[in-house]
Amino acid sequence: MIALEFPPINEILRWKDLFPTFNKIALIAVAAALIGTLIFLLAGSKDAKVAPKGIRNFAESIVEFIENGIIMQTMGREGLAWTPFLLSLFSFIYLCNVPGIIPFLQMPATARMALPLFLSLLVWVVFIVTGFKHQGLGYIKSSLFPPGVPKALYILVTPIEFISTFLVRPFSLTVRLFANMLAGHILLVTFGLLSEALFQAKGNPALIPVGVLPLFMLIFLTGFEVLVAFLQAYIFTILTAVYIGGAAHPEH
Amino acid sequence: MLTAVVIRSGEALRVHFVTSESDSGEHEMNPADCAFEPETYPPEGEAFTVEFCGTGPSPIIPEMKELAWGAGSFIVFALLMRFFLFPRLKKGMDSRYTSIREGHENADATRSSARSEVAQYEAALVAAKAEASKVIDAARATLEGERQTAITAANARIATEREAAMSAADAARTAGRSQVESAVVDVVNSAVEVATGKRPDGSAVSRAVAEAMSAGVR
């Protein structure tokens, strides 16, 4: 029998400040912005006339993925003006997610509430402003009183639409990203601790080889987290595009 | 409480600070070593232990410093992307796509021009073939006429030569027949003379031989 001592949640999520008001999450966020800037800066400095390769090819692939895979699917051609914003959002979230599997960092910055909350609130402000900009006060009408619904049903539908559009959207965006990344991080910690505990089991040496099993699981989950990091960035970005597209063109 | 442990090895002195154990057996520590701000402090005279360290705020509550750094980083990144990074990259992409599109259009134009040239060539080829066919037909007709003329002339010549040959043959046959007839008359006269001892009537023998020869020999 071994006793697995799981650390308090704060111990796996928080660190002492690297310097006052600057901790590891802040470091990852700043690094994500710097790395993103560096990638697109280097990509932009390569000769554009020849067939792209290396970092330029990588950056152009991301741009085309955002344009063709997200914007054209959700907003249509007129949504292409949103490419820089959605590209920043996708790159930044992905670069904040991916440190969850990078040795020594091993913490996705989005597994803390602050970043997902800020990004969701930003998206919330952006799609509401877009709605008012394109439809004026008609945005309220098109959001709260969807056409085609019998008038009597507006008593039910309007509060539901208000809650879902203006309250739940930022909340769901925040929680989806935060909870998925936090869950992944906790899973990695759990299997890491379990492997360590089994490899160091002193009471029963027969348990030591069993430690390979959670280690394999840890390796598998690390690979899976790469996918989750991409997927969560993609989901956040595509939902943002859907919200902005819906606010700009309610008929969509 | 921290205790200084001094170790002397040769000329050198090494000093370590270690936490001392309190009377209750728990390790004393410095409040600054806590991961989180201490929530309470021990009463005067009691040791500060790990239990007094704070557990930190709820992990769900956003921290202002993370919010500020994250927001600042993203806003700077998004602004750079909007005004500098993306336009630069997109400009290059667009110019390359434009040059590729122009290349395609040029290739299409060249292909169309080549196709029209091939069509012209094929039309010219058809006309040339028709002309050649006409020339060949005319030549064939001329040749046929000349052949017929030559054949007719040859046939006429052959007929003339055949008639001359036939006349010569008839003359030779007639001459041969009269020679044979006179020889047969001589033989018959001699034979009758030998048999009867008298010379027969020459005209009667000649008439009889002529009649026998006219009857033909089978």
Side-chain angles (χ1 to χ4, degrees):
Chain A
M1 186 91 179
I2 58 162
L4 177 64
E5 193 181 328
F6 199 85
I9 193 82
N10 261 327
E11 231 172 86
I12 60 172
L13 290 179
R14 298 170 62 110
W15 291 268
K16 293 181 77 173
D17 289 354
L18 301 173
F19 58 83
T21 77
F22 191 85
N23 64 6
K24 195 170 172 181
I25 301 300
L27 174 71
I28 292 170
V30 172
L34 285 176
I35 291 168
T37 305
L38 196 67
I39 287 172
F40 285 94
L41 198 63
L42 286 175
S45 67
K46 303 285 175 189
D47 184 8
K49 291 217 167 67
V50 297
K53 57 182 183 179
I55 200 161
R56 181 162 189 111
N57 187 32
F58 176 66
E60 287 192 8
S61 303
I62 300 172
V63 172
E64 286 184 348
F65 169 69
I66 297 292
E67 287 185 340
N68 300 329
I70 293 180
I71 295 174
M72 293 303 284
Q73 307 296 325
T74 55
M75 305 165 84
R77 182 159 289 279
E78 58 269 38
L80 287 173
W82 287 97
T83 307
F85 177 66
L86 296 174
L87 182 62
S88 317
L89 205 57
F90 176 80
S91 311
F92 187 72
I93 294 174
Y94 181 72
L95 289 169
C96 283
N97 287 349
V98 110
I101 52 158
I102 294 176
F104 303 110
L105 288 173
Q106 280 165 326
M107 173 71 197
T110 44
R112 301 281 292 138
M113 185 55 100
L115 260 178
L117 180 68
F118 164 71
L119 295 173
S120 303
L121 288 175
L122 181 69
V123 168
W124 183 68
V125 170
V126 164
F127 82 74
I128 288 176
V129 169
T130 305
F132 280 112
K133 190 177 162 194
H134 281 80
Q135 304 178 50
L137 287 175
Y139 175 56
I140 296 288
K141 190 185 167 209
S142 68
S143 300
L144 302 184
F145 302 95
V149 177
K151 283 187 178 165
L153 277 181
Y154 281 135
I155 299 167
L156 267 176
V157 171
T158 301
I160 292 172
E161 286 294 322
F162 175 76
I163 291 168
S164 73
T165 306
F166 296 106
L167 302 181
V168 171
R169 276 183 182 181
F171 177 75
S172 67
L173 271 181
T174 307
V175 171
R176 186 182 298 108
L177 178 59
F178 162 69
N180 273 295
M181 298 317 296
L182 178 62
H185 182 60
I186 291 173
L187 269 176
L188 292 181
V189 171
T190 304
F191 281 99
L193 285 172
L194 191 58
S195 301
E196 187 192 20
L198 287 170
F199 282 136
Q200 293 179 348
K202 287 175 185 157
N204 188 353
L207 286 175
I208 294 173
V210 182
V212 172
L213 297 176
L215 180 69
F216 280 142
M217 195 64 191
L218 180 65
I219 293 167
F220 168 75
L221 283 173
T222 303
F224 185 67
E225 280 303 305
V226 178
L227 175 70
V228 171
F230 172 81
L231 208 60
Q232 287 306 317
Y234 173 66
I235 290 170
F236 197 100
T237 313
I238 200 166
L239 283 174
T240 303
V242 168
Y243 296 159
I244 295 171
H249 304 284
E251 66 276 14
H252 288 179
Chain B
M1 192 174 199
L2 287 176
T3 304
V5 179
V6 182
I7 302 166
R8 180 173 182 176
S9 60
E11 295 288 306
L13 281 178
R14 283 187 294 157
V15 181
H16 296 280
F17 289 97
V18 295
T19 55
S20 61
E21 214 166 75
S22 68
D23 296 340
S24 60
E26 287 182 292
H27 285 284
E28 286 184 29
M29 61 183 291
N30 193 330
D33 293 335
C34 291
F36 304 108
E37 192 79 7
E39 287 165 357
T40 54
Y41 285 88
E44 192 70 33
E46 283 187 27
F48 185 90
T49 58
V50 72
E51 273 70 33
F52 291 99
C53 286
T55 53
S58 164
I60 294 176
I61 294 171
E63 276 197 66
M64 275 315 291
K65 59 190 167 196
E66 293 174 6
L67 199 66
W69 281 104
S73 305
F74 178 74
I75 288 169
V76 170
F77 179 53
L79 288 175
L80 279 174
M81 187 67 89
R82 170 70 184 82
F83 294 106
F84 179 63
L85 300 172
F86 179 73
R88 199 161 159 233
L89 188 70
K90 190 68 182 165
K91 194 178 160 193
M93 287 171 76
D94 287 344
S95 74
R96 194 175 66 252
Y97 289 160
T98 307
S99 83
I100 290 171
R101 203 175 301 117
E102 280 172 1
H104 277 172
E105 284 168 3
N106 287 342
D108 284 343
T110 308
R111 192 183 297 123
S112 304
S113 144
R115 276 184 184 153
S116 77
E117 279 177 16
V118 166
Q120 281 174 3
Y121 163 76
E122 280 175 351
L125 193 64
V126 167
K129 275 181 180 172
E131 185 66 30
S133 181
K134 267 187 201 169
V135 170
I136 288 169
D137 286 347
R140 195 173 285 148
T142 307
L143 196 64
E144 184 64 24
E146 285 176 0
R147 192 173 71 91
Q148 287 300 329
T149 309
I151 286 171
T152 308
N155 284 341
R157 196 173 62 247
I158 288 167
T160 309
E161 284 178 3
R162 186 182 288 144
E163 273 179 27
M166 282 177 76
S167 302
D170 284 345
R173 194 184 300 123
T174 307
R177 184 182 173 134
S178 65
Q179 281 175 6
V180 169
E181 198 177 304
S182 77
V184 169
V185 168
D186 287 345
V187 168
V188 169
N189 284 337
S190 299
V192 170
E193 192 176 356
V194 168
T196 63
K198 308 195 268 194
R199 191 136 180 112
D201 182 13
S203 60
V205 170
S206 294
R207 198 166 51 248
V209 168
E211 282 174 6
M213 284 184 72
S214 300
V217 181
R218 290 188 182 260

